[in-house]
Amino acid sequence: TLPADNLMELLIMIDAAKRASAKTITAVIPYFGYARQDRKDQPRVAITAKLMANLLTIAGADRIITMDLHAAQIQGYFDIPFDHLYGSSVFKDIIEVHKKNLVVVSPDVGGIKIARAYAKLLDCGLVVIDKRRPKQNMAEVMNIIGDVAGKDILIVDDLIDTAGTFVGAIDALKDKGALEIYGAITHPVLSGNALERITNSKVTKLFVTDTINVEGIHLENNIQVVSSAELFTEA
């Protein structure tokens, strides 16, 4: 299903509930679509995340519950109560099993905050990958800030889309002497040939949640889906 179809269905259901005199309406949106369009990064583009906020509020939602926004500031787009859950709560126990000499890695500078939260939670070190493209159409250069030699790695991020950055990070870390490499990435968007890239990569295991429906997608052995149902139920 297209994200726009899901959004339209949600808006229609909110409107139906409002017209049926519902006392309160809570929209549970495990993966908040269009969150990456949170500012004007070039002239004449929409700020679609803000448009989503307006549509949901005008339709009649009284509260929103979601997980791991691409940018936490999106909470400020809403004038209604907003519960922002963290994927780290879902992954913590399963990561503890694999925790030896672990270092948390952010695959790009933009993901430092989420990586720092994981490093604090797991009481381990933090490494950042500075990804640069010297010229247009030239391969990206991965500069690793921090020591990964002889360490087990946990790459964390809010979503995995084409898996290009993820696999590039794995290769760069392996070149610097990293041992086992795990991933804990909340939203499995997995577009294009992402599954093939992950399967053929040197990742030991990639953990994702079920915030996006992965039924019908043949998940390979090095990808494990962890349920977020209990966390959303509590919320």
Side-chain angles (χ1 to χ4, degrees):
T1 317
L2 293 169
D5 292 347
N6 291 333
L7 173 62
M8 198 66 201
E9 289 291 334
L10 176 61
L11 295 173
I12 291 166
M13 286 192 286
I14 291 169
D15 185 69
K18 184 174 73 172
R19 291 174 190 278
S21 305
K23 188 178 178 183
T24 58
I25 301 167
T26 302
V28 182
I29 310 170
Y31 171 58
F32 190 85
Y34 303 102
R36 282 185 281 183
Q37 193 61 60
D38 61 347
R39 66 196 185 283
K40 284 186 71 170
D41 55 345
Q42 52 189 322
R44 294 177 293 281
V45 296
I47 304 179
T48 320
K50 173 61 178 168
L51 177 62
M52 282 271 288
N54 289 343
L55 289 169
L56 290 162
T57 307
I58 290 165
D62 296 298
R63 179 183 286 270
I64 307 289
I65 302 176
T66 191
M67 185 190 276
D68 277 356
L69 287 168
H70 189 63
Q73 295 91 322
I74 288 171
Q75 294 171 78
Y77 292 174
F78 289 85
D79 294 323
I80 57 175
F82 192 101
D83 294 314
H84 185 212
L85 310 181
Y86 294 95
S88 53
S89 310
V90 176
F91 293 127
K92 185 179 183 293
D93 291 342
I94 205 162
I95 292 164
E96 287 283 2
V97 176
H98 301 280
K99 186 182 166 186
K100 287 179 246 167
N101 55 341
L102 197 69
V103 169
V104 174
V105 172
S106 171
D108 54 37
V109 175
I112 291 175
K113 273 193 175 178
I114 191 169
R116 190 169 178 271
Y118 273 91
K120 190 177 176 184
L121 185 73
L122 297 164
D123 190 28
C124 59
L126 174 64
V127 168
V128 180
I129 295 177
D130 177 31
K131 189 177 64 177
R132 299 187 190 186
R133 196 182 292 274
K135 288 180 187 172
Q136 242 182 336
N137 299 327
M138 271 186 79
E140 287 169 337
V141 177
M142 301 272 191
N143 298 313
I144 296 171
I145 305 167
D147 183 25
V148 297
K151 305 275 188 185
D152 287 343
I153 303 297
L154 177 67
I155 301 173
V156 299
D157 214 345
D158 62 308
L159 63 87
I160 184 163
D161 188 1
T162 62
T165 299
F166 181 66
V167 172
I170 291 167
D171 293 339
L173 290 161
K174 281 287 188 186
D175 289 345
K176 291 289 182 181
L179 301 178
E180 301 289 316
I181 298 182
Y182 299 93
I185 300 181
T186 309
H187 308 298
V189 178
L190 301 175
S191 61
N193 61 345
L195 277 173
E196 189 184 332
R197 276 180 174 160
I198 296 161
T199 306
N200 297 329
S201 74
K202 294 170 184 170
V203 69
T204 305
K205 179 93 62 173
L206 168 62
F207 301 105
V208 297
T209 74
D210 53 358
T211 53
I212 296 173
N213 184 12
V214 288
E215 278 179 32
I217 296 175
H218 177 58
L219 294 175
E220 301 296 339
N221 294 332
N222 56 357
I223 302 176
Q224 183 176 334
V225 182
V226 185
S227 175
S228 61
E230 197 175 325
L231 183 62
F232 276 102
T233 306
E234 268 185 58

